Amino acid sequence: MSASRRSGTTDALGPEEPDPEPDGADLLAALLDGMDAALCAFDADGVVTHWNREAERVLGWSAEEAVGRHGFAGWAVRPADADEVQGRLLAAMHAPGRQVNEFALLTKEGGRVLVRTQSAAVRGADGKPAGVYCAFSEVHAQIDLERSIALSEALFEDAAWGVVLVDADLRPAVVNAHAARSLGVGRGAALGRPLGDLVGQGVEELESALAHVLAEGPPPSPTEVWVTLRRPGEAGGRQERRCWRSGFVRLASPLAEEPVPLGVGWLFQDVTEAKLSEQEAAGLRFRSQQLHRAARAAAECEDPAEAATVHLDFALAGFADHAVIDLVSSEEPLRLVRAAATPSGAPGPSLLVTRGALPVRYAAGHPAPQCVERTGSVRTAADAAAGPEWAADRQWPEGTVYALCAVLRSRGRTLGVVTFLRGASRAGFERADAAYAESVAARIAAAVDLAWEVAADDR
């Protein structure tokens, strides 16, 4: 504004008019009409002094029709109820705090609406009661609101699954007790921290899902996310792998003209045990099918030694990277002779050894001779400090980290040993793997025994 306007001088358009000050009554009317709750007010004599638009929407009576009437008698309540309603409303002038009541009011069309009211005294300049204001809403709307609040409180206190409210920055804003236990931290400790501080592997997938919900909305069905949890309070910061079946809902403000995302509601349940059981059952079905296929394929082999390699090849699928068959020689002391092996380079079928009956030079303590001596399975694995020479010293293909030896026995005799090998990309062998290896070894032993009989007959 120029100096001339600030001083009140005139210009070509005439005298400068001062900006009108907003009238207090206009401001009050705007505030009342903008409220989401219906509101009316009475003076000390019970005459209606204020009536906002929400009250008009609920009951149908306009402000012009309502203001100036004495109470609700004759228009907004039935005559039989008028005295009781009037008395309970005006009683709020002399009572401390707010008074909550439920009344059946009449609409302009003659219908009845059950409303819940909150009334409180209006004090004058001298501190004495000058009237009553009354905010009211339809009971079903109030009950819906209370249900929503109760549901939120129940979810964040007593739910049997994890509930996390994630803000727009993908940081936990509210965490219920179940989710805090699943994350391994206290409820307060999880708030405001990046998810990467709580979740190890799988955090990228989880954050991607949350970002997608913020941008596009929730997926049509629950999502299963495998994660590893960081446990900084335990020795070595151990990480625990878990599977969470997760559902997502986008949260938007109901007060904005256009939906404004407030964050994501993330609900999850730990289904690790069920998923592991499913995976184990699927693995057992696959291995059973492999044994069946191997038996049918081996039955078509004319050479029993070839049938032994067929069993080995079928066993490798999804189980190991490489395998070798070593047979016991007739010489003393105990010596093992390589009979078949899978290619150490590119994958391919097992090959019978044709270089002659040369013993394999296994060092003392090698798991293959131990397996023969014990007539039982032996598992071994490289430790964290082992280098490439660990596999070379044991005459296994480069990159081998885990080994499982199963003895070959037939008709009460020990015929040799089959060794299954895995690289670092796989997990170590477990007891269930040893049971499967023993099943394969029994079939290989039967084929080897038959091959020896055939060879003896030819001689």
Side-chain angles (χ1 to χ4, degrees):
M1 184 179 293
S2 65
S4 62
R5 293 197 176 192
R6 288 196 301 270
S7 62
T9 58
T10 62
D11 56 16
L13 297 178
E16 177 75 11
E17 294 293 336
D19 294 334
E21 293 292 334
D23 184 76
D26 293 339
L27 179 59
L28 177 60
L31 291 174
L32 293 179
D33 286 339
M35 294 178 62
D36 291 331
L39 188 137
C40 63
F42 305 87
D43 62 15
D45 296 325
V47 176
V48 178
T49 59
H50 296 82
W51 190 266
N52 72 349
R53 290 182 181 177
E54 184 64 14
E56 178 180 350
R57 186 195 68 78
V58 173
L59 297 179
W61 301 97
S62 67
E64 291 77 9
E65 296 170 310
V67 173
R69 291 179 179 265
H70 190 275
F72 287 151
W75 61 289
V77 296
R78 296 186 308 172
D81 300 331
D83 291 340
E84 179 187 0
V85 171
Q86 184 83 350
R88 292 168 68 180
L89 285 176
L90 295 182
M93 281 194 298
H94 306 287
R98 292 180 297 175
Q99 304 296 309
V100 178
N101 295 285
E102 289 186 2
F103 302 126
L105 300 183
L106 297 178
T107 66
K108 187 175 182 180
E109 289 76 19
R112 299 183 71 195
V113 178
L114 184 62
V115 300
R116 180 172 295 175
T117 66
Q118 296 187 46
S119 306
V122 177
R123 306 286 176 179
D126 56 359
K128 296 181 179 180
V132 174
Y133 79 84
C134 174
F136 63 92
S137 60
E138 297 174 78
V139 167
H140 71 81
Q142 182 72 17
I143 291 176
D144 288 344
L145 174 61
E146 292 177 2
R147 283 198 188 108
S148 297
I149 295 173
L151 174 61
S152 298
E153 292 181 349
L155 286 176
F156 285 107
E157 294 296 334
D158 306 322
W161 54 86
V163 182
V164 180
L165 176 58
V166 182
D167 63 20
D169 294 327
L170 306 185
R171 294 172 182 253
V174 184
V175 177
N176 77 340
H178 190 282
R181 288 193 300 269
S182 298
L183 291 169
V185 296
R187 295 181 65 177
L191 304 185
R193 297 173 60 182
L195 289 174
D197 290 352
L198 308 171
V199 178
Q201 295 178 0
V203 67
E204 296 85 359
E205 182 180 357
L206 183 57
E207 289 182 340
S208 176
L210 292 170
H212 174 81
V213 173
L214 277 174
E216 305 292 337
S221 59
T223 303
E224 291 179 353
V225 182
W226 281 93
V227 300
T228 56
L229 300 180
R230 301 189 186 278
R231 304 287 193 184
E234 298 181 6
R238 181 176 62 88
Q239 292 187 338
E240 182 182 2
R241 185 166 171 79
R242 311 300 296 175
C243 181
W244 290 338
R245 181 171 293 152
S246 304
F248 305 93
V249 290
R250 181 167 58 177
L251 306 178
S253 172
L255 304 179
E257 295 183 2
E258 296 183 0
V260 176
L262 298 177
V264 176
W266 170 31
L267 294 84
F268 67 90
Q269 189 174 26
D270 194 319
V271 294
T272 306
E273 301 302 325
K275 294 302 294 182
L276 291 177
S277 297
E278 290 177 8
Q279 292 177 0
E280 182 179 356
L284 289 175
R285 285 195 301 270
F286 176 75
R287 290 178 179 181
S288 177
Q289 292 171 356
Q290 287 297 97
L291 291 174
H292 175 70
R293 294 189 187 103
R296 294 187 60 181
E300 302 300 323
C301 296
E302 296 183 5
D303 184 359
E306 182 183 354
T309 63
V310 167
H311 283 291
L312 190 63
D313 291 335
F314 274 91
L316 281 178
F319 182 67
D321 298 318
H322 300 286
V324 296
I325 297 176
D326 298 322
L327 301 181
V328 176
S329 71
S330 57
E331 303 176 4
E332 292 292 342
L334 172 65
R335 292 185 180 181
L336 293 175
V337 177
R338 182 63 47 83
T342 55
S344 59
S350 303
L351 302 175
L352 294 170
V353 175
T354 59
R355 59 184 175 84
L358 295 178
V360 184
R361 303 184 63 170
Y362 286 139
H366 194 282
Q370 288 183 12
C371 177
V372 174
E373 293 171 356
R374 298 176 184 178
T375 63
S377 299
V378 175
R379 288 179 290 167
T380 186
D383 55 33
E389 66 278 358
W390 185 86
D393 292 344
R394 288 156 181 78
Q395 301 192 43
W396 290 331
E398 183 180 358
T400 297
V401 177
Y402 307 105
L404 169 60
C405 299
V407 65
L408 303 178
R409 290 195 44 95
S410 178
R411 295 189 295 176
R413 297 180 300 164
T414 298
L415 308 182
V417 59
V418 57
T419 303
F420 296 98
L421 307 170
R422 288 179 178 175
S425 61
R426 294 178 180 266
F429 289 102
E430 300 178 355
R431 288 186 179 274
D433 298 322
Y436 177 63
E438 290 167 1
S439 298
V440 175
R443 289 161 172 77
I444 294 176
V448 170
D449 194 4
L450 180 58
W452 282 4
E453 282 195 8
V454 171
D457 292 342
D458 290 344
R459 289 195 297 268

